[in-house]
Amino acid sequence: MKSRILHILSGIFIGAMLCVSFCVIPQATGADWERSLPFTPQQLAIIKQVKLALSTYQVDGDKKDTIDDTKMYYGALKGLVASVGDPYTRFVEPKMLEEENLEMEGEYGGLGIYMTSRDGRTIVIAPIEDTPADRAGIKPLDEIIKVDDKNVLGMDSDEVVKMLRGPAGKPVTLQIRRKDVEKLIPVKMVREIIKIKTVRLEMLGDGIAYIKLNHFNLKTDEELRAALETAFSKKAKGVIMDLRNNPGGLLDVCVDVTSQFIDGGVVVGMKGRFDKANETLYAKEGRANDLPLVVLVNEGSASAAEIFAGAVKDHKRGTIVGAKTFGKGSVQTLFNLPDGSGIYVTIARYHTPSGFVLDHKGLQPDIAVAGEPKKEKKEDAQLQKALGVLRQKIKEKK
């Protein structure tokens, strides 16, 4: 079995992976094999009996594909992994793992929803900007109750992801439960090929560079560098980094992005049970700019987005404006299994440079402003506050 430390800090949101280090876990052979088994001989015999009973007596067991050894095997592995009670520790079948790898390249078929699992519920972290989910009005913290006519309460998150994906052009209807709304909300969408552009630059008045950062994937640092170069060429005087509805992504990319604003010092620390899970990651010196900075966050800002905002806040590099963040503060490792499947295992929780552990808490902004992203900037209360704060910073710098 091989493992790779994921620089991924997102939820079960149609994932993303990057290999950082490889190690081989020794496999027992010969006389060591029986001693290494995680179950007793009696437990293994009972598992075999259960399989035999299903194969022999289940009423539909004679129908094609009802009794399938591979499905049973993967089902057992999913149950084994799920027994630890951590939604981010999960087993992924080979095909699903392939799709998650492809997704990190920035393109896949579906609705554009990042989501996670909490207490058996499927919770939206954030919709991706300009996708079917975004255009249909899906919001952070919405709970998905049904996909078409199928109730997904208590369902494994990977199964929900499979249901949401599909060929471009194929419609799907979700039943959504939203805070402070009494009835379920039906949301009909048509699947598309989702192309994720992680960085979008817009020059606003008064020399303000507005940068919307949607995700931390393999292309993000390069895209951000290009956006900043364009901003400099247009005489930018300050930057608003909009991380609202950004669900996270790759940790090393987050460190690179943070290095564009912080010249050295701690970006994030991790605490776990073994040496490699106890790391402190530092900003790369010589890359930072000195433009006044404001960071926008909300309840859809998670994981790597929270790390970035936390580092900016603790280093007093900029001002955080918006609403309390999602509170996803754990790091996963992917163990690649010989058949192409894999296991994500939570190996550590991360903390900001000041030592604050974000997991299940979220980051409080420096300036709290209620609201949500709006297409019309004048109607966006959080953005308008950020603009006011940044203009004052620019004025003070003169």
Side-chain angles (χ1 to χ4, degrees):
M1 182 190 294
K2 292 181 179 179
S3 74
R4 57 183 182 177
I5 302 291
L6 283 187
H7 279 176
I8 179 169
L9 296 162
S10 341
I12 305 171
F13 46 69
I14 318 173
M17 287 161 268
L18 183 64
C19 171
V20 185
S21 62
F22 284 88
C23 65
V24 177
I25 298 178
Q27 295 190 18
T29 57
D32 292 331
W33 173 250
E34 185 172 337
R35 288 195 298 273
S36 72
L37 290 174
F39 303 107
T40 66
Q42 183 182 26
Q43 288 171 328
L44 291 172
I46 290 172
I47 292 172
K48 188 173 182 179
Q49 281 181 306
V50 169
K51 180 181 180 297
L52 181 62
L54 291 171
S55 301
T56 306
Y57 299 110
Q58 206 282 329
V59 65
D60 296 318
D62 57 344
K63 295 180 180 178
K64 186 179 179 182
D65 297 329
T66 299
I67 305 298
D68 183 283
D69 287 352
T70 301
K71 286 201 304 192
M72 284 185 171
Y73 166 65
Y74 286 147
L77 289 178
K78 285 181 181 179
L80 187 68
V81 173
S83 70
V84 303
D86 171 17
Y88 303 110
T89 294
R90 59 193 180 99
F91 172 78
V92 188
E93 295 182 22
K95 186 176 179 182
M96 190 69 179
L97 193 54
E98 264 184 48
E99 291 179 2
E100 292 192 6
N101 273 312
L102 286 173
E103 223 171 87
M104 183 44 52
E105 297 174 8
E107 184 173 321
Y108 65 95
L111 302 173
I113 300 175
Y114 290 109
M115 65 190 194
T116 188
S117 177
R118 282 185 175 175
D119 303 321
R121 299 178 302 140
T122 301
I123 304 295
V124 173
I125 296 177
I128 300 171
E129 187 178 39
D130 196 27
T131 62
D134 182 39
R135 294 191 293 270
I138 297 292
K139 297 181 179 181
L141 303 184
D142 280 349
E143 180 184 357
I144 300 174
I145 303 297
K146 287 185 176 182
V147 178
D148 288 327
D149 294 325
K150 187 161 185 178
N151 193 314
V152 300
L153 287 172
M155 187 178 289
D156 180 88
S157 292
D158 286 337
E159 294 300 316
V160 180
V161 169
K162 287 180 184 177
M163 295 169 68
L164 296 180
R165 285 182 171 165
K170 187 175 181 181
V172 62
T173 299
L174 306 187
Q175 295 289 335
I176 296 293
R177 177 177 290 146
R178 183 169 294 161
K179 184 179 179 182
D180 299 328
V181 177
E182 185 176 342
K183 295 182 179 180
L184 293 181
I185 302 170
V187 184
K188 187 172 182 178
M189 292 169 277
V190 177
R191 296 176 176 92
E192 296 177 2
I193 296 298
I194 307 298
K195 296 181 179 180
I196 305 174
K197 183 172 175 58
T198 63
V199 177
R200 175 169 60 83
L201 167 68
E202 185 177 347
M203 293 302 298
L204 305 180
D206 302 322
I208 292 174
Y210 170 81
I211 298 177
K212 182 71 174 73
L213 188 61
N214 295 309
H215 191 217
F216 293 83
N217 74 11
L218 292 170
K219 301 175 182 177
T220 304
D221 185 48
E222 181 183 344
E223 290 180 2
L224 179 61
R225 284 180 185 234
L228 286 171
E229 286 177 9
T230 299
F232 294 142
S233 72
K234 295 185 177 182
K235 311 299 183 185
K237 298 177 182 178
V239 178
I240 291 177
M241 288 287 287
D242 190 348
L243 271 65
R244 291 177 296 177
N245 295 350
N246 181 321
L250 302 176
L251 178 55
D252 55 348
V253 173
C254 177
V255 171
D256 288 339
V257 167
T258 305
S259 300
Q260 303 281 0
F261 298 93
I262 296 173
D263 191 20
V266 174
V267 173
V268 64
M270 297 185 292
K271 293 181 181 179
R273 293 173 55 198
F274 65 101
D275 288 344
K276 283 187 177 292
N278 290 279
E279 288 189 84
T280 300
L281 303 180
Y282 297 86
K284 298 172 182 178
E285 296 182 357
R287 294 181 59 183
N289 66 77
D290 63 355
L291 292 174
L293 174 67
V294 174
V295 180
L296 277 168
V297 298
N298 68 353
E299 59 275 8
S301 306
S303 206
E306 294 173 287
I307 288 176
F308 177 88
V312 168
K313 183 175 184 177
D314 287 357
H315 284 279
K316 302 187 186 307
R317 173 62 180 86
T319 302
I320 314 301
V321 174
K324 187 175 78 169
T325 61
F326 187 82
K328 195 275 179 182
S330 58
V331 183
Q332 282 70 44
T333 295
L334 173 64
F335 290 87
N336 290 295
L337 301 173
D339 64 348
S341 62
I343 311 170
Y344 290 92
V345 180
T346 298
I347 61 164
R349 290 186 173 87
Y350 62 75
H351 56 84
T352 69
S354 67
F356 178 68
V357 178
L358 287 158
D359 207 29
H360 300 296
K361 297 176 184 175
L363 183 74
Q364 292 285 358
D366 297 311
I367 301 174
V369 181
E372 59 187 53
K374 300 284 188 179
K375 302 296 183 185
E376 292 294 329
K377 290 183 172 56
K378 290 182 179 180
E379 298 175 5
D380 191 327
Q382 294 172 330
L383 175 57
Q384 290 302 312
K385 183 63 177 180
L387 285 167
V389 171
L390 187 57
R391 288 188 181 111
Q392 183 62 34
K393 285 176 176 285
I394 293 170
K395 184 178 178 181
E396 291 171 356
K397 189 180 178 182
K398 289 180 179 179

